[in-house]
């Protein structure tokens, strides 16, 4: 087909074709009309119409030229909510143009509901922007699961979409679904009702200003974009506007640069945060540590610098993991013993010095403590015998000496205890390796 350079019309709908329409054809031929049985049987990003009857392209034509009687009202509604005043529809191959075309073809003029039409347009734009679209990280791949998408089925029944009892979209959950391309700004058309957005573990990409849509999603309580190819200098400043946020996972994205603590100043509802796997080359922000609701904080392998003095500013923390930060220095604060909420602490493979504070024995709720791979000296404190809830204690690959206190091996819940047996005498420990 790519040899037919003068081809302008190709009608393939109402057959039994399936699979993906070749990108090479889309790239080399400008069709006035291209029809297939999309999007159910054929994944086609450059089709101008889908299904049967398949009218010629409606973008850029006048009302009288379109046979679908829903076109005037539908197009009028969508043009009114267009983010760029209609400029986005000039190119008939833009995701917005394709979404408009699809909205017209798949709308019943007798049952048009404004809110549903707007939602469907926003989701259709998201589809055309992220399905079978190449970016610098991946070639064009289709979603793993697209059940219901771009059909006449209610958008509330599309895969990964949840609505409330009024039919307003409240959740988008598409993790590990081969969502690619870029997130279109039309997602913020749904900002008033969406509280949960998870597009994690996808080869989707965006950078800098392309991520500004995040700041408009002000009703979000959960945002999970971990393992996406999102680039920014430090953490995106747009996060500061998400004041209802409770869960934030931006781990293993492409955020490189110092963290601006002011981003967290108003995130007072934050309960869970994971910023691991990026490179910040800065200290743990005090504005984040002091958040009153923060219970779970993870910042592993992030090139954190400075010391652990911020820890005592965490009033409600239950789990704190800061492993693999070689620029994290200084001693373990003795006032950690005052932190009665902490159950799990992981500070392995950092550059901590000094001794293990005996005050840790006052942390009644402590169940897990990983301190391996540091430069700690001295002995295992006798007061650790008070940790009756302790299940895991790993202190190998340090410079400890002496003997493990009598009674440590009798702790009822302790199931994993590792130490450098050549330097420290212990009858129940697993021997670590230097």
């Amino acid at each position: 087909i790519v040899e037919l350079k003068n081809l302008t019309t190709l009608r393939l709908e109402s057959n039994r074709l399936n699979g993906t329409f070749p990108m090479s054809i889309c790239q080399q031929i400008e069709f006035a009309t291209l029809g297939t049985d999309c999007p159910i049987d054929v994944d086609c990003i450059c089709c101008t119409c889908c299904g049967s009857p398949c009218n010629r392209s409606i973008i850029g034509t006048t009302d009288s030229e379109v046979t679908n009687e829903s076109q005037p009202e539908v197009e009028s509604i969508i043009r009114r909510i267009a983010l760029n005043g209609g400029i986005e529809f000039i190119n008939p191959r833009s995701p917005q143009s394709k979404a408009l075309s699809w909205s017209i073809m798949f709308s019943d003029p007798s049952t048009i509901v404004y809110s549903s039409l707007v939602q469907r347009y926003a989701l259709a734009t998201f589809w055309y922007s992220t399905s079978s679209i190449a970016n610098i990280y991946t070639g064009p791949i289709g979603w793993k699961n697209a059940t219901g998408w771009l059909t006449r089925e209610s958008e509330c029944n599309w895969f990964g979409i949840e609505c409330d009892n009024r039919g307003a979209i409240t959740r988008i959950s598409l993790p590990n679904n081969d969502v690619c391309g870029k997130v279109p700004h039309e997602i913020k058309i749904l900002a008033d009702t969406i509280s949960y957005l998870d597009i994690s573990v996808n080869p989707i990409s965006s950078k800098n200003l392309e991520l500004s849509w995040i700041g408009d999603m002000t009703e979000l309580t959960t945002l999970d974009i971990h393992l996406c190819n999102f680039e920014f200098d430090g953490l995106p400043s747009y996060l500061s506007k998400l004041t209802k946020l409770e869960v934030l996972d931006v781990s293993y994205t492409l955020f490189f640069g110092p963290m601006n603590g002011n981003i967290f100043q108003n995130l007072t509802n934050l309960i869970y945060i994971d910023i691991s796997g990026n490179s910040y080359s800065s200290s743990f922000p005090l504005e984040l540590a002091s958040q009153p609701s923060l219970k779970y904080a993870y910042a592993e392998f992030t090139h954190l610098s400075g010391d652990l003095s911020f820890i005592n500013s965490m009033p409600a923390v239950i789990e704190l993991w800061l492993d693999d930060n070689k620029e994290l220095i200084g001693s373990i604060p003795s006032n950690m013993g005052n932190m009665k909420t902490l159950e799990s602490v992981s500070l392995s493979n950092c550059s901590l010095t000094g001794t293990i504070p005996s005050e840790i024995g006052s942390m009644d709720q402590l169940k897990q403590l990983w301190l391996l791979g540091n430069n700690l000296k001295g002995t295992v404190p006798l007061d650790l015998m008070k940790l009756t809830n302790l299940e895991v204690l790993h202190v190998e690959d340090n410079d400890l000496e002496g003997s493990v206190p009598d009674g440590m091996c009798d702790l009822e819940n302790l199931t994993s205890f590792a130490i450098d047996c050549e330097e420290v005498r212990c009858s129940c420990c697993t021997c670590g390796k230097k």
Side-chain angles (χ1 to χ4, degrees), residues 299-310:
E300 305 167 86
F301 194 58
T302 55
H303 294 92
L304 281 183
S305 59
D307 57 28
L308 297 175
S309 57
F310 64 88

Side-chain angles (χ1 to χ4, degrees), residues 48-88:
T48 62
C49 56
C50 297
S52 181
C54 191
N55 299 312
R56 66 184 179 80
S57 176
I58 56 176
I59 306 302
T61 62
T62 64
D63 294 354
S64 61
E65 294 176 310
V66 180
T67 60
N68 187 334
E69 62 180 330
S70 69
Q71 190 269 345
E73 184 176 357
V74 171
E75 181 165 8
S76 175
I77 291 172
I78 291 176
R79 285 187 178 277
R80 286 202 301 272
I81 56 120
L83 299 181
N84 296 306
I87 296 175
E88 55 265 62

Side-chain angles (χ1 to χ4, degrees), residues 304 306-308 311 320-333 336 345-357 360 369-378 393-401 418-420 423 432-434:
L304 281 183
D307 57 28
L308 297 175
I311 287 183
L320 178 65
W321 293 6
L322 305 174
D323 309 272
D324 297 297
N325 287 296
K326 288 298 185 182
E327 292 83 16
L328 200 56
I329 60 174
S331 60
I332 300 172
M336 266 184 65
V345 181
S346 193
L347 302 171
S348 60
N349 299 314
C350 297
S351 297
L352 302 177
T353 55
T355 61
I356 301 175
I360 287 179
L369 179 61
W370 289 275
L371 298 174
L372 62 142
N374 284 285
N375 301 306
L376 300 174
K377 299 181 182 297
L393 177 60
H394 280 240
V395 292
E396 71 269 28
D397 197 13
N398 279 289
D399 294 315
L400 301 176
E401 57 187 11
I419 206 163
D420 296 319
E423 288 79 20
K433 294 183 179 180
K434 285 204 171 188

Side-chain angles (χ1 to χ4, degrees), residues 121-230:
Y121 166 72
L123 291 179
T125 303
F126 185 86
W127 163 273
Y128 284 118
S129 298
T130 62
S131 177
S132 300
I133 303 294
N135 58 37
I136 62 173
Y137 299 101
T138 183
I141 51 178
W143 290 10
K144 291 180 181 178
N145 191 335
T147 303
W149 279 74
L150 272 62
T151 68
R152 294 188 187 277
E153 181 82 16
S154 167
E155 66 274 18
C156 297
N157 296 328
W158 295 1
F159 173 75
I161 303 299
E162 292 186 25
C163 299
D164 61 18
N165 56 12
R166 299 176 294 113
I169 296 174
T170 57
R171 292 170 64 99
I172 297 179
S173 182
L174 295 168
N176 193 21
N177 200 46
D178 283 342
V179 176
C180 52
K182 297 180 184 293
V183 177
H185 282 242
E186 279 71 15
I187 194 172
K188 65 188 182 183
I189 292 173
L190 309 173
D192 288 343
T193 60
I194 287 187
S195 61
Y196 182 100
L197 178 60
D198 182 355
I199 51 175
S200 61
V201 198
N202 281 300
I204 196 166
S205 72
S206 290
K207 62 188 300 185
N208 299 328
L209 282 173
E210 293 173 346
L211 291 168
S212 63
W213 57 267
I214 291 175
D216 293 287
M217 310 300 286
T218 54
E219 294 299 311
L220 283 180
T221 58
T222 294
L223 175 62
D224 191 345
I225 55 175
H226 84 272
L227 280 171
C228 290
N229 298 312
F230 289 161

